[in-house]
Amino acid sequence: MTARRSILVPAAGLRIGRVVAADTVREALRGRLPWLLVALLLGGLAVSGFIGALALTDTRATQAALLAPLLRCAAAAIVAVFTVASISREAHDKQAEMLLALPAGRAAWLLGRLAGFAVLAVLVALPAGLLAAWHAAPAQAALWTLGVLGELWIVAAFATFCALGLATGAGHAAPALCATLGFYLLARVAGILQALAQDAASPRLVALAADGIAVLLPRLDTFARTEWLLYGTGGVADAATLLGQAVIYVVLLAAASLVDLQRREY
C-alpha cells in the first residue's frame, strides 16, 4: 500500500503541475497579455521608425543600439508585473489553498506556476526577437533573443519568490514588484558598479560591496548584448554561459520559493 501511494503521489503531482501551468498560460492569454505583446511590437516599430528618421548615417545600427535596451526593459517589466499580479491575486482569492493541501501539492503548484511563467516569457521574448531580426543578422538576433529569454526566466523566478513572501493580497503587490524591478536593474548595472568601484579613489568598502553584488547577482548585462546585433560578435560560448547562469539562478530561486511554501501553514 505504501509503495502504491508513493507512485500515486508523483503522478498526482505531475497532473497538478500540468493543470497549474496550463491555467497560468490561459489566464494570461485571456487577460491583457496579448494586447501588451501587440503594443510592444507596434511600439518597437514606431520607436524604430522615429530613430531611423533622426539618424543621418548607419540607420540600422543606430536603431539597434537604441531599441535593444528599451525592448529588454519593457519585456522584463511585462513579465514581472504579470507574475506578481497573478500570484498575489490567487493568494487573495485563496484559489491555491486546495492545491497546496493535496499530497505533493505545494511543489507541484510551484513548479507548474514556474513552467507557466516560462512559457509566457517565451511569448514576450518573441516580439523583441522579431524586432531585433529586422536590424541584425538572423543568427545574432536569435542569440540576443535567447539572452532576453534567459533574463525573463530569472525575472519570473525572482518575482515568484518575492510575490510569495511579500504579496499577501491583491492590494499588496507593490512591494514584490518594486523588489523585482530593483533586482533586475541592479543585476543589469552590477558590472558597471564593479568597474567604477575599481577606481583608486574609491573606498575599499565600496569596492568590496560592488564585488559582492557582482558575485551574488546574475550578470544580466552579459545576457543580451547590443554589440551582438551591431558587430556580430556573439557565439556558442556566450549562449552556453547565459543559459548556465539562467538555469543556476532559476533553480536556486525555485528552491528558495519551495522552502518558503513548505514552512507555511494553510
Side-chain angles (χ1 to χ4, degrees):
M1 185 68 180
T2 304
R4 183 180 179 184
R5 179 177 176 80
S6 64
I7 296 175
L8 290 177
V9 169
L14 289 176
R15 288 196 297 270
I16 293 172
R18 287 197 298 267
V19 170
V20 172
D23 286 343
T24 301
V25 176
R26 192 179 302 112
E27 176 190 5
L29 295 179
R30 289 178 177 176
R32 295 185 177 90
L33 183 64
W35 296 105
L36 289 175
L37 297 182
V38 172
L40 178 64
L41 184 59
L42 295 180
L45 290 173
V47 172
S48 177
F50 178 73
I51 296 173
L54 295 179
L56 299 178
T57 59
D58 295 330
T59 302
R60 285 185 175 264
T62 304
Q63 289 173 324
L66 297 178
L67 187 61
L70 295 177
L71 291 175
R72 291 174 67 184
C73 292
I78 291 174
V79 171
V81 169
F82 177 81
T83 301
V84 172
S86 178
I87 292 181
S88 62
R89 181 170 55 250
E90 190 172 34
H92 180 263
D93 296 338
K94 301 186 182 300
Q95 297 176 357
E97 291 189 5
M98 181 180 67
L99 293 175
L100 295 175
L102 295 174
R106 300 191 181 193
W109 177 85
L110 177 62
L111 294 179
R113 273 296 192 177
L114 290 175
F117 295 144
V119 173
L120 296 179
V122 174
L123 297 179
V124 175
L126 283 178
L130 291 175
L131 291 171
W134 182 259
H135 301 94
Q140 297 298 316
L143 177 60
W144 183 87
T145 306
L146 182 63
V148 173
L149 183 58
E151 282 187 352
L152 298 184
W153 283 341
I154 294 176
V155 168
F158 189 84
T160 301
F161 173 72
C162 291
L164 291 174
L166 299 176
T168 58
H172 300 83
L177 183 59
C178 290
T180 302
L181 295 179
F183 162 83
Y184 175 74
L185 293 176
L186 189 58
R188 282 283 301 270
V189 302
I192 299 176
L193 294 178
Q194 190 178 25
L196 293 175
Q198 299 303 322
D199 192 298
S202 300
R204 181 60 179 169
L205 184 60
V206 174
L208 290 176
D211 291 338
I213 291 174
V215 169
L216 293 176
L217 296 183
R219 292 295 302 272
L220 296 185
D221 56 317
T222 65
F223 268 51
R225 299 181 184 178
T226 305
E227 65 189 54
W228 295 343
L229 302 177
L230 297 178
Y231 310 115
T233 57
V236 177
D238 297 301
T241 300
L242 68 91
L243 284 178
Q245 285 195 65
V247 169
I248 290 172
Y249 279 94
V250 168
V251 170
L252 290 176
L253 290 169
S257 300
L258 183 58
V259 170
D260 184 48
L261 272 180
Q262 295 291 1
R263 67 176 179 81
R264 296 188 181 190
E265 296 181 359
Y266 288 93

PDB file of all heavy atoms in Angstrom, residues 169-207:
ATOM      1  N   GLY A 169      -1.773  39.725  -0.865  1.00  0.00           N
ATOM      2  CA  GLY A 169      -3.097  40.013  -1.404  1.00  0.00           C
ATOM      3  C   GLY A 169      -2.987  40.909  -2.609  1.00  0.00           C
ATOM      4  O   GLY A 169      -1.913  41.393  -2.963  1.00  0.00           O
ATOM      5  N   ALA A 170      -4.120  41.124  -3.276  1.00  0.00           N
ATOM      6  CA  ALA A 170      -4.100  41.922  -4.496  1.00  0.00           C
ATOM      7  C   ALA A 170      -3.666  43.345  -4.240  1.00  0.00           C
ATOM      8  O   ALA A 170      -3.135  44.011  -5.111  1.00  0.00           O
ATOM      9  CB  ALA A 170      -5.494  41.901  -5.149  1.00  0.00           C
ATOM     10  N   GLY A 171      -3.904  43.851  -3.029  1.00  0.00           N
ATOM     11  CA  GLY A 171      -3.519  45.214  -2.720  1.00  0.00           C
ATOM     12  C   GLY A 171      -2.111  45.343  -2.188  1.00  0.00           C
ATOM     13  O   GLY A 171      -1.682  46.438  -1.838  1.00  0.00           O
ATOM     14  N   HIS A 172      -1.370  44.231  -2.072  1.00  0.00           N
ATOM     15  CA  HIS A 172      -0.028  44.260  -1.512  1.00  0.00           C
ATOM     16  C   HIS A 172       1.003  43.770  -2.512  1.00  0.00           C
ATOM     17  O   HIS A 172       2.025  43.212  -2.135  1.00  0.00           O
ATOM     18  CB  HIS A 172       0.028  43.411  -0.244  1.00  0.00           C
ATOM     19  CG  HIS A 172      -0.899  43.867   0.835  1.00  0.00           C
ATOM     20  ND1 HIS A 172      -2.227  43.508   0.869  1.00  0.00           N
ATOM     21  CD2 HIS A 172      -0.689  44.664   1.915  1.00  0.00           C
ATOM     22  CE1 HIS A 172      -2.801  44.053   1.928  1.00  0.00           C
ATOM     23  NE2 HIS A 172      -1.901  44.767   2.575  1.00  0.00           N
ATOM     24  N   ALA A 173       0.754  43.979  -3.787  1.00  0.00           N
ATOM     25  CA  ALA A 173       1.680  43.521  -4.817  1.00  0.00           C
ATOM     26  C   ALA A 173       2.808  44.506  -5.061  1.00  0.00           C
ATOM     27  O   ALA A 173       3.836  44.127  -5.624  1.00  0.00           O
ATOM     28  CB  ALA A 173       0.926  43.262  -6.122  1.00  0.00           C
ATOM     29  N   ALA A 174       2.648  45.753  -4.647  1.00  0.00           N
ATOM     30  CA  ALA A 174       3.652  46.782  -4.934  1.00  0.00           C
ATOM     31  C   ALA A 174       5.019  46.456  -4.345  1.00  0.00           C
ATOM     32  O   ALA A 174       6.026  46.622  -5.037  1.00  0.00           O
ATOM     33  CB  ALA A 174       3.163  48.147  -4.450  1.00  0.00           C
ATOM     34  N   PRO A 175       5.137  46.015  -3.073  1.00  0.00           N
ATOM     35  CA  PRO A 175       6.489  45.700  -2.560  1.00  0.00           C
ATOM     36  C   PRO A 175       7.193  44.613  -3.362  1.00  0.00           C
ATOM     37  O   PRO A 175       8.393  44.721  -3.641  1.00  0.00           O
ATOM     38  CB  PRO A 175       6.215  45.252  -1.111  1.00  0.00           C
ATOM     39  CG  PRO A 175       4.918  45.876  -0.758  1.00  0.00           C
ATOM     40  CD  PRO A 175       4.114  45.897  -2.019  1.00  0.00           C
ATOM     41  N   ALA A 176       6.461  43.561  -3.733  1.00  0.00           N
ATOM     42  CA  ALA A 176       7.071  42.482  -4.516  1.00  0.00           C
ATOM     43  C   ALA A 176       7.492  42.982  -5.890  1.00  0.00           C
ATOM     44  O   ALA A 176       8.568  42.620  -6.400  1.00  0.00           O
ATOM     45  CB  ALA A 176       6.098  41.315  -4.645  1.00  0.00           C
ATOM     46  N   LEU A 177       6.674  43.807  -6.510  1.00  0.00           N
ATOM     47  CA  LEU A 177       7.012  44.330  -7.835  1.00  0.00           C
ATOM     48  C   LEU A 177       8.219  45.266  -7.762  1.00  0.00           C
ATOM     49  O   LEU A 177       9.117  45.194  -8.615  1.00  0.00           O
ATOM     50  CB  LEU A 177       5.804  45.062  -8.419  1.00  0.00           C
ATOM     51  CG  LEU A 177       5.966  45.620  -9.836  1.00  0.00           C
ATOM     52  CD1 LEU A 177       6.296  44.509 -10.812  1.00  0.00           C
ATOM     53  CD2 LEU A 177       4.694  46.343 -10.272  1.00  0.00           C
ATOM     54  N   CYS A 178       8.255  46.118  -6.754  1.00  0.00           N
ATOM     55  CA  CYS A 178       9.399  47.023  -6.603  1.00  0.00           C
ATOM     56  C   CYS A 178      10.684  46.239  -6.349  1.00  0.00           C
ATOM     57  O   CYS A 178      11.748  46.577  -6.889  1.00  0.00           O
ATOM     58  CB  CYS A 178       9.140  48.007  -5.466  1.00  0.00           C
ATOM     59  SG  CYS A 178       7.857  49.227  -5.818  1.00  0.00           S
ATOM     60  N   ALA A 179      10.594  45.202  -5.515  1.00  0.00           N
ATOM     61  CA  ALA A 179      11.776  44.379  -5.241  1.00  0.00           C
ATOM     62  C   ALA A 179      12.258  43.686  -6.507  1.00  0.00           C
ATOM     63  O   ALA A 179      13.472  43.599  -6.764  1.00  0.00           O
ATOM     64  CB  ALA A 179      11.452  43.354  -4.156  1.00  0.00           C
ATOM     65  N   THR A 180      11.328  43.196  -7.329  1.00  0.00           N
ATOM     66  CA  THR A 180      11.709  42.507  -8.567  1.00  0.00           C
ATOM     67  C   THR A 180      12.376  43.456  -9.554  1.00  0.00           C
ATOM     68  O   THR A 180      13.421  43.142 -10.129  1.00  0.00           O
ATOM     69  CB  THR A 180      10.478  41.862  -9.209  1.00  0.00           C
ATOM     70  OG1 THR A 180       9.877  40.955  -8.286  1.00  0.00           O
ATOM     71  CG2 THR A 180      10.852  41.120 -10.476  1.00  0.00           C
ATOM     72  N   LEU A 181      11.776  44.617  -9.751  1.00  0.00           N
ATOM     73  CA  LEU A 181      12.357  45.575 -10.688  1.00  0.00           C
ATOM     74  C   LEU A 181      13.697  46.109 -10.173  1.00  0.00           C
ATOM     75  O   LEU A 181      14.628  46.334 -10.960  1.00  0.00           O
ATOM     76  CB  LEU A 181      11.377  46.727 -10.933  1.00  0.00           C
ATOM     77  CG  LEU A 181      10.064  46.329 -11.624  1.00  0.00           C
ATOM     78  CD1 LEU A 181       9.162  47.534 -11.789  1.00  0.00           C
ATOM     79  CD2 LEU A 181      10.333  45.675 -12.969  1.00  0.00           C
ATOM     80  N   GLY A 182      13.803  46.299  -8.841  1.00  0.00           N
ATOM     81  CA  GLY A 182      15.079  46.717  -8.277  1.00  0.00           C
ATOM     82  C   GLY A 182      16.160  45.670  -8.477  1.00  0.00           C
ATOM     83  O   GLY A 182      17.311  45.988  -8.809  1.00  0.00           O
ATOM     84  N   PHE A 183      15.800  44.403  -8.290  1.00  0.00           N
ATOM     85  CA  PHE A 183      16.735  43.304  -8.535  1.00  0.00           C
ATOM     86  C   PHE A 183      17.188  43.294  -9.986  1.00  0.00           C
ATOM     87  O   PHE A 183      18.384  43.132 -10.285  1.00  0.00           O
ATOM     88  CB  PHE A 183      16.052  41.982  -8.171  1.00  0.00           C
ATOM     89  CG  PHE A 183      16.704  40.760  -8.749  1.00  0.00           C
ATOM     90  CD1 PHE A 183      17.798  40.183  -8.122  1.00  0.00           C
ATOM     91  CD2 PHE A 183      16.229  40.175  -9.913  1.00  0.00           C
ATOM     92  CE1 PHE A 183      18.415  39.053  -8.654  1.00  0.00           C
ATOM     93  CE2 PHE A 183      16.827  39.045 -10.449  1.00  0.00           C
ATOM     94  CZ  PHE A 183      17.926  38.489  -9.809  1.00  0.00           C
ATOM     95  N   TYR A 184      16.262  43.482 -10.907  1.00  0.00           N
ATOM     96  CA  TYR A 184      16.605  43.452 -12.331  1.00  0.00           C
ATOM     97  C   TYR A 184      17.552  44.594 -12.694  1.00  0.00           C
ATOM     98  O   TYR A 184      18.575  44.387 -13.378  1.00  0.00           O
ATOM     99  CB  TYR A 184      15.331  43.537 -13.163  1.00  0.00           C
ATOM    100  CG  TYR A 184      15.587  43.631 -14.649  1.00  0.00           C
ATOM    101  CD1 TYR A 184      16.006  42.519 -15.375  1.00  0.00           C
ATOM    102  CD2 TYR A 184      15.424  44.832 -15.327  1.00  0.00           C
ATOM    103  CE1 TYR A 184      16.254  42.604 -16.730  1.00  0.00           C
ATOM    104  CE2 TYR A 184      15.671  44.933 -16.687  1.00  0.00           C
ATOM    105  CZ  TYR A 184      16.089  43.812 -17.386  1.00  0.00           C
ATOM    106  OH  TYR A 184      16.338  43.898 -18.728  1.00  0.00           O
ATOM    107  N   LEU A 185      17.232  45.802 -12.234  1.00  0.00           N
ATOM    108  CA  LEU A 185      18.081  46.943 -12.568  1.00  0.00           C
ATOM    109  C   LEU A 185      19.466  46.811 -11.939  1.00  0.00           C
ATOM    110  O   LEU A 185      20.477  47.139 -12.576  1.00  0.00           O
ATOM    111  CB  LEU A 185      17.401  48.238 -12.102  1.00  0.00           C
ATOM    112  CG  LEU A 185      16.112  48.603 -12.834  1.00  0.00           C
ATOM    113  CD1 LEU A 185      15.489  49.855 -12.221  1.00  0.00           C
ATOM    114  CD2 LEU A 185      16.372  48.824 -14.320  1.00  0.00           C
ATOM    115  N   LEU A 186      19.521  46.330 -10.693  1.00  0.00           N
ATOM    116  CA  LEU A 186      20.818  46.165 -10.043  1.00  0.00           C
ATOM    117  C   LEU A 186      21.653  45.097 -10.749  1.00  0.00           C
ATOM    118  O   LEU A 186      22.872  45.253 -10.913  1.00  0.00           O
ATOM    119  CB  LEU A 186      20.614  45.792  -8.574  1.00  0.00           C
ATOM    120  CG  LEU A 186      21.861  45.786  -7.684  1.00  0.00           C
ATOM    121  CD1 LEU A 186      22.525  47.155  -7.693  1.00  0.00           C
ATOM    122  CD2 LEU A 186      21.501  45.383  -6.262  1.00  0.00           C
ATOM    123  N   ALA A 187      21.003  44.010 -11.186  1.00  0.00           N
ATOM    124  CA  ALA A 187      21.733  42.969 -11.917  1.00  0.00           C
ATOM    125  C   ALA A 187      22.205  43.476 -13.277  1.00  0.00           C
ATOM    126  O   ALA A 187      23.241  43.019 -13.779  1.00  0.00           O
ATOM    127  CB  ALA A 187      20.847  41.738 -12.085  1.00  0.00           C
ATOM    128  N   ARG A 188      21.459  44.406 -13.860  1.00  0.00           N
ATOM    129  CA  ARG A 188      21.864  44.958 -15.154  1.00  0.00           C
ATOM    130  C   ARG A 188      23.088  45.863 -15.030  1.00  0.00           C
ATOM    131  O   ARG A 188      23.895  45.957 -15.969  1.00  0.00           O
ATOM    132  CB  ARG A 188      20.711  45.748 -15.768  1.00  0.00           C
ATOM    133  CG  ARG A 188      19.630  44.902 -16.421  1.00  0.00           C
ATOM    134  CD  ARG A 188      20.057  44.380 -17.775  1.00  0.00           C
ATOM    135  NE  ARG A 188      20.379  45.437 -18.697  1.00  0.00           N
ATOM    136  CZ  ARG A 188      19.508  46.009 -19.522  1.00  0.00           C
ATOM    137  NH1 ARG A 188      18.249  45.600 -19.525  1.00  0.00           N
ATOM    138  NH2 ARG A 188      19.877  46.963 -20.344  1.00  0.00           N
ATOM    139  N   VAL A 189      23.234  46.565 -13.895  1.00  0.00           N
ATOM    140  CA  VAL A 189      24.329  47.532 -13.756  1.00  0.00           C
ATOM    141  C   VAL A 189      25.419  47.014 -12.820  1.00  0.00           C
ATOM    142  O   VAL A 189      26.322  47.781 -12.465  1.00  0.00           O
ATOM    143  CB  VAL A 189      23.799  48.889 -13.242  1.00  0.00           C
ATOM    144  CG1 VAL A 189      22.750  49.442 -14.182  1.00  0.00           C
ATOM    145  CG2 VAL A 189      23.232  48.767 -11.830  1.00  0.00           C
ATOM    146  N   ALA A 190      25.356  45.746 -12.400  1.00  0.00           N
ATOM    147  CA  ALA A 190      26.345  45.216 -11.463  1.00  0.00           C
ATOM    148  C   ALA A 190      27.759  45.319 -12.027  1.00  0.00           C
ATOM    149  O   ALA A 190      28.706  45.672 -11.315  1.00  0.00           O
ATOM    150  CB  ALA A 190      26.015  43.765 -11.115  1.00  0.00           C
ATOM    151  N   GLY A 191      27.914  44.998 -13.303  1.00  0.00           N
ATOM    152  CA  GLY A 191      29.231  45.094 -13.915  1.00  0.00           C
ATOM    153  C   GLY A 191      29.751  46.520 -13.948  1.00  0.00           C
ATOM    154  O   GLY A 191      30.950  46.769 -13.729  1.00  0.00           O
ATOM    155  N   ILE A 192      28.860  47.481 -14.218  1.00  0.00           N
ATOM    156  CA  ILE A 192      29.269  48.890 -14.246  1.00  0.00           C
ATOM    157  C   ILE A 192      29.695  49.346 -12.860  1.00  0.00           C
ATOM    158  O   ILE A 192      30.708  50.041 -12.695  1.00  0.00           O
ATOM    159  CB  ILE A 192      28.116  49.756 -14.785  1.00  0.00           C
ATOM    160  CG1 ILE A 192      27.764  49.341 -16.212  1.00  0.00           C
ATOM    161  CG2 ILE A 192      28.477  51.235 -14.729  1.00  0.00           C
ATOM    162  CD1 ILE A 192      26.574  50.074 -16.783  1.00  0.00           C
ATOM    163  N   LEU A 193      28.920  48.968 -11.841  1.00  0.00           N
ATOM    164  CA  LEU A 193      29.273  49.337 -10.474  1.00  0.00           C
ATOM    165  C   LEU A 193      30.629  48.756 -10.081  1.00  0.00           C
ATOM    166  O   LEU A 193      31.436  49.423  -9.428  1.00  0.00           O
ATOM    167  CB  LEU A 193      28.192  48.843  -9.509  1.00  0.00           C
ATOM    168  CG  LEU A 193      26.815  49.488  -9.627  1.00  0.00           C
ATOM    169  CD1 LEU A 193      25.850  48.848  -8.639  1.00  0.00           C
ATOM    170  CD2 LEU A 193      26.898  50.987  -9.386  1.00  0.00           C
ATOM    171  N   GLN A 194      30.872  47.525 -10.472  1.00  0.00           N
ATOM    172  CA  GLN A 194      32.140  46.886 -10.142  1.00  0.00           C
ATOM    173  C   GLN A 194      33.300  47.596 -10.833  1.00  0.00           C
ATOM    174  O   GLN A 194      34.368  47.787 -10.238  1.00  0.00           O
ATOM    175  CB  GLN A 194      32.107  45.415 -10.542  1.00  0.00           C
ATOM    176  CG  GLN A 194      33.286  44.597 -10.036  1.00  0.00           C
ATOM    177  CD  GLN A 194      33.167  43.133 -10.415  1.00  0.00           C
ATOM    178  OE1 GLN A 194      32.497  42.789 -11.392  1.00  0.00           O
ATOM    179  NE2 GLN A 194      33.804  42.261  -9.658  1.00  0.00           N
ATOM    180  N   ALA A 195      33.096  47.998 -12.085  1.00  0.00           N
ATOM    181  CA  ALA A 195      34.161  48.703 -12.807  1.00  0.00           C
ATOM    182  C   ALA A 195      34.436  50.070 -12.198  1.00  0.00           C
ATOM    183  O   ALA A 195      35.596  50.486 -12.056  1.00  0.00           O
ATOM    184  CB  ALA A 195      33.783  48.846 -14.279  1.00  0.00           C
ATOM    185  N   LEU A 196      33.365  50.777 -11.813  1.00  0.00           N
ATOM    186  CA  LEU A 196      33.553  52.098 -11.204  1.00  0.00           C
ATOM    187  C   LEU A 196      34.226  51.995  -9.840  1.00  0.00           C
ATOM    188  O   LEU A 196      34.996  52.869  -9.456  1.00  0.00           O
ATOM    189  CB  LEU A 196      32.197  52.801 -11.065  1.00  0.00           C
ATOM    190  CG  LEU A 196      31.504  53.203 -12.363  1.00  0.00           C
ATOM    191  CD1 LEU A 196      30.127  53.781 -12.074  1.00  0.00           C
ATOM    192  CD2 LEU A 196      32.349  54.207 -13.138  1.00  0.00           C
ATOM    193  N   ALA A 197      33.922  50.927  -9.105  1.00  0.00           N
ATOM    194  CA  ALA A 197      34.492  50.772  -7.763  1.00  0.00           C
ATOM    195  C   ALA A 197      35.967  50.433  -7.790  1.00  0.00           C
ATOM    196  O   ALA A 197      36.647  50.535  -6.757  1.00  0.00           O
ATOM    197  CB  ALA A 197      33.736  49.687  -6.998  1.00  0.00           C
ATOM    198  N   GLN A 198      36.508  50.018  -8.953  1.00  0.00           N
ATOM    199  CA  GLN A 198      37.924  49.695  -9.047  1.00  0.00           C
ATOM    200  C   GLN A 198      38.804  50.937  -9.127  1.00  0.00           C
ATOM    201  O   GLN A 198      40.030  50.830  -9.105  1.00  0.00           O
ATOM    202  CB  GLN A 198      38.174  48.822 -10.282  1.00  0.00           C
ATOM    203  CG  GLN A 198      37.436  47.503 -10.272  1.00  0.00           C
ATOM    204  CD  GLN A 198      37.758  46.661  -9.059  1.00  0.00           C
ATOM    205  OE1 GLN A 198      38.898  46.631  -8.598  1.00  0.00           O
ATOM    206  NE2 GLN A 198      36.758  45.963  -8.534  1.00  0.00           N
ATOM    207  N   ASP A 199      38.170  52.103  -9.202  1.00  0.00           N
ATOM    208  CA  ASP A 199      38.931  53.350  -9.226  1.00  0.00           C
ATOM    209  C   ASP A 199      39.738  53.489  -7.942  1.00  0.00           C
ATOM    210  O   ASP A 199      39.280  53.152  -6.853  1.00  0.00           O
ATOM    211  CB  ASP A 199      37.968  54.538  -9.380  1.00  0.00           C
ATOM    212  CG  ASP A 199      38.714  55.820  -9.699  1.00  0.00           C
ATOM    213  OD1 ASP A 199      39.522  56.253  -8.861  1.00  0.00           O
ATOM    214  OD2 ASP A 199      38.470  56.385 -10.772  1.00  0.00           O
ATOM    215  N   ALA A 200      40.937  53.994  -8.075  1.00  0.00           N
ATOM    216  CA  ALA A 200      41.827  54.114  -6.915  1.00  0.00           C
ATOM    217  C   ALA A 200      41.265  55.045  -5.857  1.00  0.00           C
ATOM    218  O   ALA A 200      41.575  54.909  -4.665  1.00  0.00           O
ATOM    219  CB  ALA A 200      43.209  54.604  -7.366  1.00  0.00           C
ATOM    220  N   ALA A 201      40.430  56.018  -6.278  1.00  0.00           N
ATOM    221  CA  ALA A 201      39.873  56.963  -5.313  1.00  0.00           C
ATOM    222  C   ALA A 201      38.698  56.386  -4.532  1.00  0.00           C
ATOM    223  O   ALA A 201      38.265  56.975  -3.542  1.00  0.00           O
ATOM    224  CB  ALA A 201      39.435  58.239  -6.040  1.00  0.00           C
ATOM    225  N   SER A 202      38.154  55.247  -4.953  1.00  0.00           N
ATOM    226  CA  SER A 202      37.006  54.656  -4.275  1.00  0.00           C
ATOM    227  C   SER A 202      37.447  53.983  -2.974  1.00  0.00           C
ATOM    228  O   SER A 202      38.499  53.339  -2.921  1.00  0.00           O
ATOM    229  CB  SER A 202      36.324  53.621  -5.176  1.00  0.00           C
ATOM    230  OG  SER A 202      35.888  54.232  -6.373  1.00  0.00           O
ATOM    231  N   PRO A 203      36.652  54.127  -1.903  1.00  0.00           N
ATOM    232  CA  PRO A 203      36.983  53.448  -0.648  1.00  0.00           C
ATOM    233  C   PRO A 203      36.995  51.925  -0.829  1.00  0.00           C
ATOM    234  O   PRO A 203      36.294  51.384  -1.687  1.00  0.00           O
ATOM    235  CB  PRO A 203      35.863  53.894   0.300  1.00  0.00           C
ATOM    236  CG  PRO A 203      35.298  55.129  -0.314  1.00  0.00           C
ATOM    237  CD  PRO A 203      35.469  54.970  -1.793  1.00  0.00           C
ATOM    238  N   ARG A 204      37.792  51.252  -0.021  1.00  0.00           N
ATOM    239  CA  ARG A 204      37.903  49.805  -0.110  1.00  0.00           C
ATOM    240  C   ARG A 204      36.561  49.131   0.151  1.00  0.00           C
ATOM    241  O   ARG A 204      36.232  48.115  -0.475  1.00  0.00           O
ATOM    242  CB  ARG A 204      38.945  49.307   0.898  1.00  0.00           C
ATOM    243  CG  ARG A 204      39.174  47.803   0.889  1.00  0.00           C
ATOM    244  CD  ARG A 204      39.644  47.333  -0.457  1.00  0.00           C
ATOM    245  NE  ARG A 204      39.893  45.895  -0.478  1.00  0.00           N
ATOM    246  CZ  ARG A 204      40.115  45.194  -1.567  1.00  0.00           C
ATOM    247  NH1 ARG A 204      40.109  45.793  -2.753  1.00  0.00           N
ATOM    248  NH2 ARG A 204      40.340  43.894  -1.501  1.00  0.00           N
ATOM    249  N   LEU A 205      35.775  49.685   1.072  1.00  0.00           N
ATOM    250  CA  LEU A 205      34.483  49.098   1.404  1.00  0.00           C
ATOM    251  C   LEU A 205      33.535  49.138   0.214  1.00  0.00           C
ATOM    252  O   LEU A 205      32.776  48.197  -0.023  1.00  0.00           O
ATOM    253  CB  LEU A 205      33.873  49.835   2.603  1.00  0.00           C
ATOM    254  CG  LEU A 205      32.551  49.279   3.142  1.00  0.00           C
ATOM    255  CD1 LEU A 205      32.741  47.838   3.608  1.00  0.00           C
ATOM    256  CD2 LEU A 205      32.023  50.146   4.277  1.00  0.00           C
ATOM    257  N   VAL A 206      33.588  50.226  -0.547  1.00  0.00           N
ATOM    258  CA  VAL A 206      32.739  50.347  -1.736  1.00  0.00           C
ATOM    259  C   VAL A 206      33.129  49.292  -2.773  1.00  0.00           C
ATOM    260  O   VAL A 206      32.268  48.664  -3.395  1.00  0.00           O
ATOM    261  CB  VAL A 206      32.850  51.759  -2.327  1.00  0.00           C
ATOM    262  CG1 VAL A 206      32.093  51.853  -3.642  1.00  0.00           C
ATOM    263  CG2 VAL A 206      32.325  52.791  -1.346  1.00  0.00           C
ATOM    264  N   ALA A 207      34.420  49.077  -2.942  1.00  0.00           N
ATOM    265  CA  ALA A 207      34.874  48.073  -3.895  1.00  0.00           C
ATOM    266  C   ALA A 207      34.441  46.672  -3.470  1.00  0.00           C
ATOM    267  O   ALA A 207      34.012  45.862  -4.306  1.00  0.00           O
ATOM    268  CB  ALA A 207      36.397  48.135  -4.023  1.00  0.00           C
TER     269      ALA A 207
END
